[in-house]
Structures are given as C-alpha cells and as structure tokens.
Amino acid sequence: MTTQPPLIRIERVTKRFGDFTAVNQIDLDIRQGEFFALLGASGCGKTTLLRMLGGFETPTEGRILIDGVDVSTVPPYERPVNMMFQSYALFPHMTVEQNIAFGLQQDKMPKGQIAERVKAMLDMVQMSQYAKRKPAQLSGGQKQRVALARSLAKQPKVLLLDEPLGALDKKLREQTQLELVNIQEKVGITFIMVTHDQEEAMTMACRVGIMKEGRIAQIGTPFEVYETPNSRFVGDFIGNANMIAGAVTGGEGADWTIASSDLGCTITAHHEEPLPNGSDVTVMVRPEKMSIGRQPVAGAINTVSGRITDIAYLGDMSIYHVKLAGGARLQVSQANLRHGIGGRLEHDEEVSISWHPGDSVVLLA
Ligand code: ATP
C-alpha cells in the first residue's frame, strides 16, 4: 500500500449560493495520476465542485489542498491546474498552433521551447497537419483535440474536464474516450472529469464519485459501484437493476432468507454482514445475472416464473421484460450468442427466471 499523500484533498467543502446548498460537506482525496470522474444527474453539484477545484468558485466552508498547499482562495491562473471547458473556448482568430502556444507565451517561455512544446502537443493529439488552420475550419472532434493540447501544453498537475466529449456525436465520442485515456496514461497528469454520462465515466475513469444533491453518494472503481452499490440510489443510477423489496426472516452463515412482498415468495441472498430478523431490505439483482428459459434451471435456489411482456432486441443481446403472477416485473438480459435448440423466446411465453444468491446485493439504504 502506498502512503503517499493525495495530490488533491477536498476537506468538508460546502458551497452555498444564497440559501441554496449546491455542494454539501464533501470530503474527497484524489491521487497523483488518477483519472477521476464526478458523475451525477443535472443539478447535483458536480460542476460547482469542479469549478472550486479550478478556482472559479470559492468554497463557503472547507478547504481544498493541492500538493499539501491550501488553494481555496488562490485565483485560477496561480493554481497548478488547467480547465478544459465543454465549449473548448478556442480563440477563433488564431490558428491551431497559435492557440496551443498562447498560454506558453503568456508565461514568457523562450520561443524555441514554445515551438518544441507545440510540436510535441500537436503530435500527441495527431493534429500536426492542421497546425495552420483556424478553429472554424476544424470538425468537432478536431477542436476537442486542440483544446486538449492547449490545456496540457503548460503541463499542469491537474486537468479538469467539464463534459469534455459532450459536443461530439455518439460514434466519435466512443472513439475519443479511448484516445483521451491513452493520452492521460502517457502524460501521467491527474484528470478530473465531470459527466452525466455513466457509460463515459465507467469507460474512462479509474474511480468514479457519484453525486446526489450536493453530496457524494459513493466513491469506487467502476467495478465496485456497479457490482456493489451502497444504496438503492447508486444501484438504480448505474446500469439497469431489478430492485426487490422484502424482509429478512432468517439466515445461515452469509445466506439470508428474505420474504419478498414484491415477488410473493421467499428468496435467498448472500450478504457478509449480520441482518436483524424482520429488517426491511432491498435485494438488487442485475438483469444479466438472471437466467431465463422455458424450464427452471435444475437445482437453482432462487426461481420465479412469469410471462414475457416485452422483448427489446439489441442485436448482441435481448432484454426480456417479464410479469410475474403477483404483478411484479423483472428484467432479464441475455446474450444472443447463437440460436439455441428450441428457438428464441417469444413474446407472451411462460418462462422461469433464476439467479444465484451470490448475485444478489442486499441494500439497506
Ligand atoms: P449540470 O449537469 O446540469 O451542469 P451540475 O451537477 O453540474 O449540473 P451545478 O452546475 O454544479 O450542477 O449546479 C448545482 C446547483 O447549484 C444547481 O441547482 C444550480 O442551479 C445551482 N447553481 C450553480 N451555480 C449557481 C450560481 N452561480 N448561483 C446560484 N445557483 C447556482
């Protein structure tokens, strides 16, 4: 385990606008070289937190330390931080290379060094052949790369990215996500990105902080927040989830029996911590963790049956919406690997759904 202090320490930071609290007592450490994503719905306070890191807002309470130095009241241009805005904010009258050189000229870097740095940045974002063009002569993806090169030219310790790929179409966004991760790994600079797009956060970040109403609901790797959310909110926010309400009726080791009012039966769920008898819980099961078929899976501990009401065919996989006898609805996704014996499941068919207790997540909040 590394004992290195974090590059960024956010300590009990609160931001109020009048009597509205946009960011509420956030504590967060970010390590050198991390790609961290702040993820949350519109209005949750993620941009306000990013703007405080950049120095564009001052915390009402709390402190922000970068490399051990309290920067809470230090202006943006004196912080070892650069911010890449969603609009890219390129200077329209300057060429690509002039845009990249601008910050270096402001810092009075010698001309030869500027030329060298600009060339290295152009190579890095693969824009060398566009050096003499103006922003209006570039595509959205090319502008994004110039903005990135400009932000990195001054070699900040931290780059803040506000919805960096928001202006790109879906295909280009996916391609650029990987490019951006490769560049981040190459330069080794800490990236902190704000996004409302969970897929983007999961694809790009080492760790994700999920925000809700000014607070951090959970911090973890993409794997952790998806597989072991700490609340119903996070489970619902990331990916699709079946949420099954119930009450604990007993347990053996880490396997708990839960009488589910939703399903009208008892199910078994794995949970390492003790659960008091009678406590209300929500059992989350991801749609891909359930199996679906005409016959029950032999020996399955959790099995329910119902009727297919909808099938969303997505090519590589299908999502089956199933209504149980008592009215509850479950979603099951299945890879369309091959056309199996007996053919595809059809709308209106009676089916069995089963899942392993270890694929349940018991949520108490
Ligand atoms: P989005 O994804 O829509 O940008 P966000 O999570 O980034 O949302 P913020 O921009 O951080 O949200 O805003 C959080 C809350 O604070 C919102 O309700 C917003 O209206 C409010 N807010 C932000 N800036 C100000 C301001 N300067 N004055 C008053 N309220 C503000």
Side-chain angles (χ1 to χ4, degrees):
M1 284 293 290
T2 171
T3 50
Q4 225 185 338
L7 178 64
I8 295 174
R9 169 153 280 176
I10 297 170
E11 268 180 14
R12 311 290 289 167
V13 164
T14 292
K15 178 68 187 180
R16 280 191 280 274
F17 296 108
D19 55 8
F20 178 77
T21 306
V23 170
N24 199 348
Q25 301 210 335
I26 285 190
D27 282 310
L28 174 63
D29 283 351
I30 297 173
R31 292 185 293 270
Q32 154 62 34
E34 256 196 298
F35 196 139
F36 192 91
L38 283 165
L39 174 66
S42 181
C44 69
K46 54 194 187 300
T47 308
T48 303
L49 184 56
L50 195 79
R51 289 174 59 79
M52 285 193 278
L53 285 166
F56 302 100
E57 301 283 359
T58 311
T60 314
E61 285 163 21
R63 302 195 304 165
I64 295 174
L65 291 99
I66 301 179
D67 241 355
V69 178
D70 185 352
V71 296
S72 309
T73 54
V74 174
Y77 52 87
E78 284 177 17
R79 296 186 183 205
V81 166
N82 213 338
M83 180 136 167
M84 192 175 120
F85 293 94
Q86 188 179 358
S87 60
Y88 307 143
L90 296 174
F91 301 118
H93 59 287
M94 291 186 191
T95 63
V96 165
E97 60 185 1
Q98 286 166 346
N99 262 284
I100 299 172
F102 181 77
L104 306 175
Q105 287 160 348
Q106 295 293 99
D107 283 356
K108 311 249 180 305
M109 186 189 258
K111 268 194 175 149
Q113 274 181 36
I114 293 181
E116 240 171 67
R117 182 77 59 82
V118 169
K119 184 179 175 309
M121 291 293 123
L122 285 169
D123 284 349
M124 181 183 71
V125 297
Q126 298 175 355
M127 286 292 290
S128 303
Q129 77 256 47
Y130 302 102
K132 304 286 180 209
R133 287 210 192 164
K134 300 252 174 85
Q137 299 166 313
L138 300 175
S139 72
Q142 291 164 342
K143 279 185 215 164
Q144 194 273 344
R145 285 194 247 162
V146 177
L148 180 66
R150 191 180 62 174
S151 313
L152 291 174
K154 283 173 73 172
Q155 300 181 331
K157 285 186 181 156
V158 183
L159 181 63
L160 307 173
L161 305 106
D162 182 9
E163 301 270 3
L165 310 177
L168 309 182
D169 66 48
K170 187 170 167 16
K171 196 98 191 159
L172 187 57
R173 208 161 62 212
E174 283 169 7
Q175 195 186 322
T176 313
Q177 282 169 4
L178 297 177
E179 271 178 29
L180 203 53
V181 172
N182 285 338
I183 289 173
Q184 191 266 343
E185 282 169 0
K186 212 183 292 171
V187 295
I189 289 172
T190 307
F191 276 29
I192 305 175
M193 170 177 83
V194 152
T195 179
H196 64 270
D197 181 331
Q198 50 156 298
E199 239 174 70
E200 194 152 291
M202 304 280 279
T203 309
M204 297 169 75
C206 321
R207 279 196 309 154
V208 180
I210 297 159
M211 287 187 66
K212 181 193 181 190
E213 294 166 5
R215 291 181 187 269
I216 301 251
Q218 187 171 1
I219 297 173
T221 62
F223 180 86
E224 286 163 349
V225 294
Y226 184 81
E227 299 290 341
T228 50
N230 62 1
S231 63
R232 216 183 139 106
F233 169 78
V234 174
D236 252 339
F237 188 77
I238 303 277
N240 288 328
N242 292 298
M243 295 291 181
I244 304 165
V248 178
T249 58
E252 209 183 297
D255 282 335
W256 302 90
T257 46
I258 291 158
S260 166
S261 44
D262 278 353
L263 303 184
C265 64
T266 296
I267 56 173
T268 303
H270 192 85
H271 188 71
E272 296 291 343
E273 308 296 321
L275 292 171
N277 256 355
S279 52
D280 289 327
V281 295
T282 300
V283 177
M284 184 197 83
V285 189
R286 297 282 184 197
E288 74 278 9
K289 306 283 197 289
M290 292 178 154
S291 52
I292 184 169
R294 295 191 176 93
Q295 304 299 328
V297 173
I301 294 170
N302 293 313
T303 297
V304 293
S305 48
R307 192 172 52 79
I308 297 177
T309 56
D310 272 304
I311 304 174
Y313 175 74
L314 304 176
D316 57 342
M317 59 180 261
S318 294
I319 300 172
Y320 298 90
H321 294 255
V322 176
K323 188 174 176 190
L324 310 191
R329 291 172 188 275
L330 295 177
Q331 279 184 51
V332 185
S333 61
Q334 188 166 271
N336 293 322
L337 297 176
R338 58 187 86 87
H339 298 294
I341 300 162
R344 286 188 294 161
L345 295 171
E346 303 284 351
H347 196 269
D348 253 2
E349 272 200 80
E350 292 292 330
V351 286
S352 260
I353 295 173
S354 42
W355 67 97
H356 192 272
D359 287 325
S360 319
V361 180
V362 177
L363 302 172
L364 306 170

